[in-house]
């Protein structure tokens, strides 16, 4: 039994005639066709006038566009088709010898004519010639906006990039646009102006958001800088106070030593000792002050550095020049790292280096000071290395201040 339609086995399209199947094969290179008893419907969408040839196709169109109303324009009498070539009646052929030529002529399909100006406008907007031609043809050359809307609504169609074809002898002329050239230009200008204003508004809104973000970040940076300056100011005040107290204790120590030497000389000469009332009050405030001061001072990095330098000086008090050279060398190491934190050569010290050993390494407390600053031994103790992520500018500044005080303060390490 002959079917009422032809079905493409590759894409599932339903076709009414052999000619449609041949045209479909030329456009898509599909060659797997079979007869089907499923009728080819003509369901036309009332919203966009898109024809659908089956219920499946109409359901797919509804999912894509949301259009649900269709008008059934399928012919009441659907003739079954056959894959065999139609037989031509001999009598009819003799009476109308040009009938075959007329049939072949009717089967020729051509690209429909569309408005050239609208086509150029759509191509200038970035649409391909195929999509622009298809949109103008199915929108009836109604105008630029109607064509663009048609493309947006049908951009998911499987045949969106196929050139539309119409019978060559249909003599369908491209309908003239409903707008005059002046109105068309005005409409185009309006669309461009609307798009430009929308873009400007989006850019202004984005710029406002960026400005707000810059202001917020600026405030946070200013607040962080203020806090850092306050902490640095407090640190310097505490450092100066500690230096003054240390100098005071050193002077008291020297004064007490002088008094003891004086008393010893008077004893040796057989002279009577001085009144002890003048010498006794001085040690008392020192002891009392020390008791009141020590518990208050926190065990900070600066305290550890100061104690390390004081220990180094006391361990080598017989060689002041060597101690001073060690302090200056340590200050050079710390200064190089502070000024060039990204340079690895300043953050890596070979312990076996003879110059380092002569100046710092051989003195007890030199390597310990660098370790307090963040240096760590690596490669089996061959190097001292300060990782980039462990560079703390506050610690380095404190180390520099402590070293500078140790170099310049004549009473440093006397106690």
């Amino acid at each position: 039994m002959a079917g009422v339609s032809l079905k493409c086995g590759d894409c599932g399209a339903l076709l009414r005639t052999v000619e449609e199947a041949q045209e479909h094969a030329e456009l898509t290179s599909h060659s797997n066709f079979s007869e089907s008893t499923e009728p080819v419907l003509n369901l036309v969408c009332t919203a966009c006038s898109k024809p659908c040839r089956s219920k499946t196709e109409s359901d797919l169109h509804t999912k894509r566009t949301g259009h649900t109303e269709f008008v059934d324009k399928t012919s009441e009498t659907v003739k079954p088709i056959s894959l065999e070539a139609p037989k031509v009646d001999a009598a009819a052929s003799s009476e109308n010898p040009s009938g075959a030529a007329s049939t072949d002529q009717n089967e020729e399909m051509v690209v429909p004519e569309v408005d050239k100006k609208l086509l150029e406008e759509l191509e200038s907007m970035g649409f391909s010639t195929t999509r622009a031609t298809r949109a103008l043809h199915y929108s009836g050359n109604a105008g630029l906006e109607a064509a663009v809307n048609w493309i947006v609504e049908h951009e998911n169609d499987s045949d969106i990039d196929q050139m539309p074809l119409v019978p060559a002898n249909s003599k369908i002329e491209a309908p003239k646009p409903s707008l005059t050239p002046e109105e068309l230009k005005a409409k185009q200008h309006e669309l461009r102006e609307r798009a430009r204003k929308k873009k400007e508004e989006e850019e202004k809104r984005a710029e406002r958001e960026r400005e707000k973000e810059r202001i917020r970040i600026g405030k946070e940076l200013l607040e962080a800088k203020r806090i850092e300056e306050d902490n640095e100011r407090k640190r310097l005040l505490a450092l100066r106070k500690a230096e003054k107290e240390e100098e005071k204790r050193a002077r008291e120590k020297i004064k007490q030593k002088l008094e003891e030497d004086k008393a010893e000389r008077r004893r040796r000469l057989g002279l009577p000792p001085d009144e002890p009332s003048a010498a006794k009050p001085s040690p008392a405030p020192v002891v009392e002050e020390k008791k009141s001061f020590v518990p208050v001072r926190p065990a900070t990095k600066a305290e550890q550095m100061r104690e390390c330098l004081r220990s180094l000086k006391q361990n080598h008090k017989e060689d002041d020049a060597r101690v001073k050279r060690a302090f200056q060398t340590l200050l050079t190491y710390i200064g190089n790292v502070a000024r060039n934190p990204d340079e690895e050569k300043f953050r890596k010290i070979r312990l076996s280096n003879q110059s380092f050993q002569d100046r710092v390494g051989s003195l007890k407390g030199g390597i310990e000071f660098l370790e307090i600053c963040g240096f760590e031994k690596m490669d089996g103790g061959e190097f001292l290395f300060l990782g980039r992520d462990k560079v703390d500018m506050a610690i380095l500044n404190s180390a520099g201040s402590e070293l500078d005080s140790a170099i310049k303060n004549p009473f440093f390490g006397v106690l």
Side-chain angles (χ1 to χ4, degrees):
M1 176 181 178
V4 296
S5 64
L6 288 175
K7 184 175 183 179
C8 178
D10 296 322
C11 63
L14 294 175
L15 307 163
R16 282 195 182 89
T17 63
V18 176
E19 290 77 10
E20 287 188 5
Q22 292 175 348
E23 179 186 347
H24 181 75
E26 291 176 359
L27 293 174
T28 62
S29 300
H30 296 169
S31 58
N32 184 15
F33 297 94
S34 61
E35 294 184 10
S36 175
T37 57
E38 183 178 355
V40 180
L41 304 178
N42 187 15
L43 303 176
V44 181
C45 177
T46 58
C48 61
S49 302
K50 176 178 175 59
C52 300
R53 293 195 169 198
S54 66
K55 189 66 172 66
T56 303
E57 189 174 349
S58 65
D59 293 341
L60 182 60
H61 180 71
T62 300
K63 290 182 179 180
R64 289 176 177 171
T65 63
H67 302 164
T68 57
E69 295 184 2
F70 296 88
V71 178
D72 190 357
K73 295 185 178 181
T74 307
S75 301
E76 295 181 0
T77 304
V78 180
K79 297 181 179 180
I81 62 173
S82 175
L83 295 178
E84 298 179 358
K87 297 181 180 180
V88 181
D89 186 80
S93 176
S94 60
E95 293 176 359
N96 188 14
S98 61
S102 176
T103 302
D104 293 337
Q105 185 178 2
N106 290 338
E107 292 176 357
E108 183 181 359
M109 307 294 285
V110 296
V111 178
E113 296 183 6
V114 295
D115 187 90
K116 301 299 182 183
K117 292 183 178 179
L118 294 179
L119 181 62
E120 292 176 359
E121 287 290 334
L122 289 172
E123 290 177 346
S124 65
M125 294 172 67
F127 297 107
S128 63
T129 304
T130 303
R131 291 195 178 195
T133 303
R134 197 174 188 86
L136 291 173
H137 172 65
Y138 286 111
S139 63
N141 291 270
L144 185 65
E145 188 173 3
V148 172
N149 291 336
W150 190 93
I151 292 176
V152 172
E153 293 174 358
H154 297 79
E155 62 180 353
N156 294 324
D157 292 355
S158 59
D159 56 352
I160 186 66
D161 291 316
Q162 296 179 8
M163 187 68 75
L165 299 175
V166 297
N169 62 349
S170 60
K171 296 181 182 180
I172 299 176
E173 296 182 357
K176 297 181 180 180
S178 59
L179 301 177
T180 63
E182 292 77 10
E183 292 175 340
L184 181 61
K185 289 182 179 180
K187 188 67 175 178
Q188 294 172 358
H189 178 72
E190 180 184 352
L191 291 174
R192 293 194 183 97
E193 190 67 19
R194 190 185 306 167
R196 184 185 63 80
K197 289 182 178 179
K198 184 177 180 181
K199 184 177 181 180
E200 288 180 355
E201 290 177 358
E202 291 178 353
E203 290 178 352
K204 288 180 180 179
R205 183 168 60 256
E207 182 62 28
R208 286 195 297 269
E209 293 297 328
R210 288 193 294 268
E211 184 64 24
K212 290 180 180 178
E213 185 67 15
R214 282 195 295 268
I215 293 174
R216 184 186 65 80
I217 294 175
K219 289 181 178 179
E220 291 181 356
L221 291 176
L222 288 175
E223 181 66 17
K225 184 177 180 181
R226 185 189 64 78
I227 294 174
E228 183 179 359
E229 289 176 351
D230 289 345
N231 293 336
E232 181 68 15
R233 187 162 49 252
K234 292 177 181 179
R235 187 189 66 80
L236 291 176
L237 290 174
L239 183 62
R240 292 194 189 99
K241 183 179 179 181
E243 290 176 352
K244 289 180 180 179
E245 291 174 351
E246 185 176 3
E247 290 177 3
K248 183 178 179 181
R249 291 196 302 272
R251 284 194 296 268
E252 294 292 339
K253 183 80 172 182
I254 293 172
K255 185 177 179 181
Q256 184 179 1
K257 183 67 175 175
L258 291 174
E259 293 292 338
E260 291 176 357
D261 292 344
K262 183 179 178 181
E264 180 66 20
R265 286 194 301 271
R266 291 181 67 86
R267 185 183 64 79
R268 290 178 181 179
L269 293 174
L271 298 175
D274 287 341
E275 289 294 330
S277 58
K280 285 184 179 179
S282 57
V286 174
V287 176
E288 183 179 356
E289 183 184 0
K290 188 174 182 180
K291 289 181 179 178
S292 63
F293 179 74
V294 171
V296 177
R297 295 170 62 189
T300 61
K301 286 281 187 181
E303 286 294 329
Q304 297 176 18
M305 295 174 189
R306 189 180 303 117
E307 183 62 29
C308 184
L309 294 176
R310 185 183 296 110
S311 175
L312 189 151
K313 186 171 183 179
Q314 290 177 352
N315 290 334
H316 305 86
K317 58 184 177 181
E318 72 282 354
D319 195 349
D320 290 340
R322 190 179 181 191
V323 171
K324 187 174 182 180
R325 184 176 63 173
F327 288 169
Q328 291 173 342
T329 304
L330 289 172
L331 183 61
T332 301
Y333 283 136
I334 298 301
N336 287 338
V337 175
R339 287 188 295 271
N340 306 279
D342 295 325
E343 292 289 341
E344 184 177 341
K345 64 180 181 180
F346 295 126
R347 295 184 282 105
K348 192 172 184 179
I349 303 172
R350 184 185 294 273
L351 293 177
S352 60
N353 182 277
Q354 189 60 40
S355 177
F356 173 78
Q357 285 294 326
D358 292 342
R359 292 173 176 268
V360 178
S362 60
L363 277 70
K364 184 179 179 181
I367 296 177
E368 288 78 359
F369 182 84
L370 291 173
E371 288 177 339
I372 293 174
C373 295
F375 283 84
E376 296 178 347
K377 290 183 179 180
M378 61 177 294
D379 294 343
E382 184 179 356
F383 293 96
L384 276 178
F385 182 72
L386 178 60
R388 180 62 183 88
D389 57 334
K390 295 186 178 180
V391 174
D392 191 330
M393 298 306 296
I395 295 178
L396 295 178
N397 289 334
S398 297
S401 299
E402 294 297 335
L403 287 167
D404 186 67
S405 175
I407 294 171
K408 296 179 179 180
N409 185 4
F411 303 107
F412 183 83
V414 174
L415 294 179

